[in-house]
Amino acid sequence: MPGAYVRGYGINAATGRRGRGVPEVSAAYRFQRALTILAVLGLVAGVALWALGQPTALAAVAVVVLGVVIVATAVDMVRDLMSGHWGLDILALVAMGATLAVEEYVAGLIIAVMLTGGEALEAWAGRRASRALDTLLNRAPVFAQRIDPGTGHVVQVPVAEVEVGDELLVRSSEILPVDGVLLSPRASIDESSVTGEPLPVSYAAGAALLSGTTNGTETFTMRATRTAQESQYATIVQLVEEAVGSRAPMIRLADRYAVPFTAVSLAIAGLAWWLSGDPVRFAEVLVVATPCPLLIAAPIAFLGGMSSAARINVIIKEGGTLETLSRVRSAAFDKTGTLTQGKPVVATVHPGACSEEETLLLAAAAEQHSVHVFAQPIIDAVRRAGQELPHVASAEEVATNGVRATLTDGRQVRVGKPAFVEEVVGRVERPTLTAGETAVYVALDDQLAGVVVLSDPVRPHAAQTVARMRTAGVTQFVLVTGDVTSTADSVAGEVGIAGGSDSVHAETTPQGKVEIVRALRPRPVLMVGDGINDAPVLAAADVGIALAGRGATAASESASAVVTSDDVGRVADVMEVSRRTVSIALQSIWLGIVISIGLMLVAAFGHLPAVAGALLQEVVDLVAIASALRALALHRRFSRERA
């Protein structure tokens, strides 16, 4: 089938407007549609002339119509060969040529309709399969209600014109145009389209809000903290755009089935001609040897799988990710924000040379200059107590270790990992930690000021996710984290990463994580993470999955797939979707091959006239498409489980 690849859509992430990707794609589609109409009209005319007993006119119609289709198919086939894709078009060309040679004109016209109409049929199935992806694209915000700072008037502007700091009005049931913070006292937001959370979430003034979510019944004001291009929903739209236009390795594998299938088909047709001495037998075999299912089934199955993944809040960037996910044998997890909830709070403070209060104050003063996930909870704890932070003269964040700060009175403060603090205070005693707890060590000059213990609970579905992945065939689990060994071991034990070939790698740098993941065996290797420092290791793994339920990060850009809800359980869900998608694709491919070879053998013995064979081949196409479309329903099981 010429052009058997579903085209992507061009998306303007800022405005959410959608259109066909490039002009030549639309031109090619219009040409293909015209070719299909020509073939259908030719078949109608041919059948009428055959019924009226007008063989000369029938021959003329067949020569013209088949000639045009053969030339168009040949040109398309050459383009595919030049781009490195081998297809089954050669069989269609030989079959149409053979029907002309043996004067089986009606059969040839049926093949032409099947061949040209296949693209229209595939386009319909492709649109059906990508409906869930399109839903995300159609929800992209287009306008924003900006409040003029001078007059206070509300002006509707394109969302692309919203700037950081603009005050926006969001009315009842409107989609939030950009990421921002809530200015009104309260708001109720439906976040199901972005995070998968089924119930509206209530927020108070100062809360962070995500674009693409929907306001409830009460109008509120917010201040933009990101432009439309940088906001959460724009990132999701961009990921979806990449997903729709992708082409999986499994689909290329389906193309490679064309080589042996072509050889087998020509051999059966040639043998039938040689044994029977009838050239018509050659045409009858080739008429049923044009299995468009080989080219249609895999793309439709993979689009269906990607659609199902989108329905459970997992955006697959390319179809190849599904095929690789179905074969994953090793899995690595980050800890903070991945296996744990990523919302730490100060649990206790163990005093050293300083009191609990002073230890916390020193830690908060230094952590003001850190972007680490543990910095803000320490600062928040001090602010809630209404205390004033010591003034900092200078500070430097030492990547993956902590913060080194100098107070205005000259005292030196270090906050971070124990090894970082031990450089100035000597060996320190490390407190016993439970699962989800992390220790932040604080040094004042050359003394241990104290230890701040933060608690970051393990995610509810983390242990279940690991167990499901192990049942699905993952033989090795690894926890890689920059956190201390005691914390990493406790979390690993709670989620089931312990014993056998499993391992825990604590206090690792981003580069160390990359080296660990690259060395993992057996492969393929899956890496799951959520933070900026996970971006390198996500890119290094065979498949990287980023948890981005609360905002876009560099992790999302480098990952193969993105979980847009705050649920690590979706990792196991999408692995199951992947396995079933690949199974459905292979089943559909082999269904087309087996039925076509069976029909060829029947035709080889002279029991299947060319016209009947051509009609049966169209039925085979429909059966394979129906089989592949089963991938659309894969999400339903997981939707029910989460309901």
Side-chain angles (χ1 to χ4, degrees):
M1 175 192 298
Y5 312 116
V6 177
R7 315 297 185 186
Y9 288 92
I11 310 297
N12 183 321
T15 65
R17 299 189 186 279
R18 188 178 68 165
R20 300 299 290 182
V22 289
E24 54 267 28
V25 172
S26 297
Y29 175 76
R30 288 194 295 269
F31 175 77
Q32 187 65 40
R33 183 174 59 183
L35 203 62
T36 302
I37 294 173
L38 174 66
V40 170
L41 293 176
L43 177 60
V44 172
V47 170
L49 293 171
W50 172 76
L52 294 173
Q54 301 292 327
T56 303
L58 171 59
V61 169
V63 168
V64 171
V65 174
L66 293 179
V68 172
V69 174
I70 287 173
V71 170
T73 303
V75 170
D76 198 57
M77 183 184 69
V78 170
R79 288 175 179 168
D80 282 346
L81 290 173
M82 291 178 66
S83 62
H85 303 305
W86 173 277
L88 290 169
D89 295 341
I90 183 65
L91 285 178
L93 291 175
V94 174
M96 287 186 289
T99 57
L100 284 176
V102 299
E103 300 182 355
E104 289 283 354
Y105 300 124
V106 174
L109 291 169
I110 292 176
I111 294 174
V113 171
M114 177 184 66
L115 192 66
T116 58
E119 173 131 349
L121 189 60
E122 181 196 356
W124 170 83
R127 284 194 298 270
R128 174 67 178 87
S130 60
R131 185 174 298 170
L133 303 182
D134 286 345
T135 299
L136 288 173
L137 304 180
N138 291 331
R139 282 184 52 83
V142 177
F143 297 104
Q145 311 298 325
R146 184 165 61 193
I147 300 175
D148 189 293
T151 64
H153 296 161
V154 177
V155 181
Q156 179 172 283
V157 297
V159 70
E161 295 182 8
V162 175
E163 298 179 354
V164 174
D166 283 351
E167 186 174 342
L168 307 175
L169 181 73
V170 183
R171 297 173 296 201
S172 172
S173 302
E174 283 188 337
I175 297 175
L176 276 63
V178 295
D179 293 354
V181 294
L182 180 62
L183 298 179
S184 298
R186 62 183 179 276
S188 178
I189 308 295
D190 177 3
E191 297 184 339
S192 59
S193 62
V194 174
T195 67
E197 180 63 40
L199 299 176
V201 181
S202 297
Y203 288 110
L209 305 178
L210 298 177
S211 63
T213 55
T214 305
N215 183 22
T217 59
E218 188 174 347
T219 298
F220 65 81
T221 57
M222 61 179 285
R223 190 175 306 282
T225 56
R226 289 191 179 100
T227 63
Q229 294 89 338
E230 297 170 342
S231 290
Q232 164 80 355
Y233 207 76
T235 301
I236 295 175
V237 168
Q238 183 180 359
L239 296 177
V240 172
E241 181 184 12
E242 294 172 3
V244 175
S246 69
R247 188 167 183 256
M250 177 60 68
I251 301 173
R252 291 192 289 270
L253 178 64
D255 291 343
R256 290 198 294 272
Y257 277 86
V259 177
F261 187 84
T262 298
V264 169
S265 301
L266 291 174
I268 293 175
L271 189 62
W273 183 2
W274 180 68
L275 291 176
S276 66
D278 184 3
V280 173
R281 197 70 57 85
F282 180 82
E284 289 174 344
V285 171
L286 290 185
V287 161
V288 293
T290 54
C292 287
L294 251 64
L295 294 177
I296 298 176
I300 289 177
F302 274 80
L303 271 174
M306 292 165 70
S307 171
S308 285
R311 296 289 291 274
I312 58 173
N313 303 109
V314 182
I315 303 300
I316 304 292
K317 289 188 179 182
E318 59 179 6
T321 299
L322 288 171
E323 201 254 344
T324 306
L325 266 175
S326 70
R327 300 183 291 106
V328 164
R329 291 298 173 265
S330 300
F333 283 87
D334 175 48
K335 182 186 73 69
T336 305
T338 302
L339 291 177
T340 63
Q341 296 180 15
K343 301 174 182 177
V345 294
V346 174
T348 59
V349 179
H350 298 276
C354 300
S355 66
E356 294 182 17
E357 180 180 320
E358 188 176 3
T359 297
L360 197 58
L361 283 171
L362 292 171
E367 291 285 31
Q368 292 178 99
H369 303 273
S370 173
V371 296
H372 195 276
V373 67
F374 294 145
Q376 195 60 46
I378 294 175
I379 297 170
D380 289 344
V382 172
R383 287 178 175 169
R384 281 196 298 270
Q387 296 172 312
E388 185 177 348
L389 296 178
H391 295 292
V392 177
S394 63
E396 176 190 8
E397 181 165 24
V398 181
T400 75
N401 283 286
V403 179
R404 183 166 46 222
T406 301
L407 303 182
T408 53
D409 59 10
R411 291 183 296 171
Q412 303 291 316
V413 177
R414 283 197 179 203
V415 180
K417 294 181 178 178
F420 181 56
V421 170
E422 285 174 341
E423 292 177 2
V424 293
V425 305
R427 184 164 182 80
V428 300
E429 183 178 349
R430 307 189 182 190
T432 302
L433 303 174
T434 61
E437 287 188 340
T438 299
V440 175
Y441 296 77
V442 185
L444 179 62
D445 293 327
D446 59 353
Q447 293 184 307
L448 179 67
V451 181
V452 179
V453 177
L454 296 101
S455 175
D456 184 15
V458 171
R459 288 180 180 269
H461 298 113
Q464 181 187 33
T465 299
V466 171
R468 288 175 58 196
M469 293 171 65
R470 201 182 295 277
T471 302
V474 178
T475 59
Q476 180 178 205
F477 287 88
V478 175
L479 177 62
V480 288
T481 178
D483 212 340
V484 296
T485 301
S486 57
T487 302
D489 286 341
S490 62
V491 170
E494 184 167 337
V495 301
I497 300 178
S501 60
D502 296 349
S503 59
V504 177
H505 299 268
E507 300 183 42
T508 58
T509 63
Q511 182 58 37
K513 291 182 180 181
V514 170
E515 293 171 357
I516 291 167
V517 166
R518 283 179 175 169
L520 283 179
R521 296 292 184 277
R523 304 193 80 90
V525 174
L526 165 67
M527 174 67 199
V528 185
D530 76 311
I532 292 176
N533 64 338
D534 293 324
V537 69
L538 287 170
D542 297 311
V543 179
I545 297 182
L547 300 182
R550 289 302 302 172
T553 68
S556 303
E557 297 298 325
S558 61
S560 309
V562 179
V563 178
T564 61
S565 62
D566 197 28
D567 185 359
V568 72
R570 291 307 186 190
V571 175
D573 292 345
V574 76
M575 285 186 64
E576 178 67 16
V577 167
S578 299
R579 287 195 303 275
R580 295 189 183 187
T581 297
V582 171
S583 176
I584 288 172
L586 287 173
Q587 289 171 14
S588 303
I589 288 170
W590 280 106
L591 181 65
I593 290 176
V594 170
I595 296 178
S596 294
I597 289 178
L599 292 175
M600 280 189 278
L601 293 175
V602 173
F605 287 97
H607 301 305
L608 189 60
V611 173
L615 293 173
L616 282 175
Q617 184 58 54
E618 190 69 13
V619 174
V620 175
D621 292 350
L622 294 174
V623 170
I625 290 172
S627 173
L629 284 173
R630 290 180 294 152
L632 283 168
L634 294 178
H635 68 279
R636 292 178 180 171
R637 169 188 173 186
F638 307 110
S639 298
R640 286 195 297 270
E641 288 178 353
R642 302 287 175 175

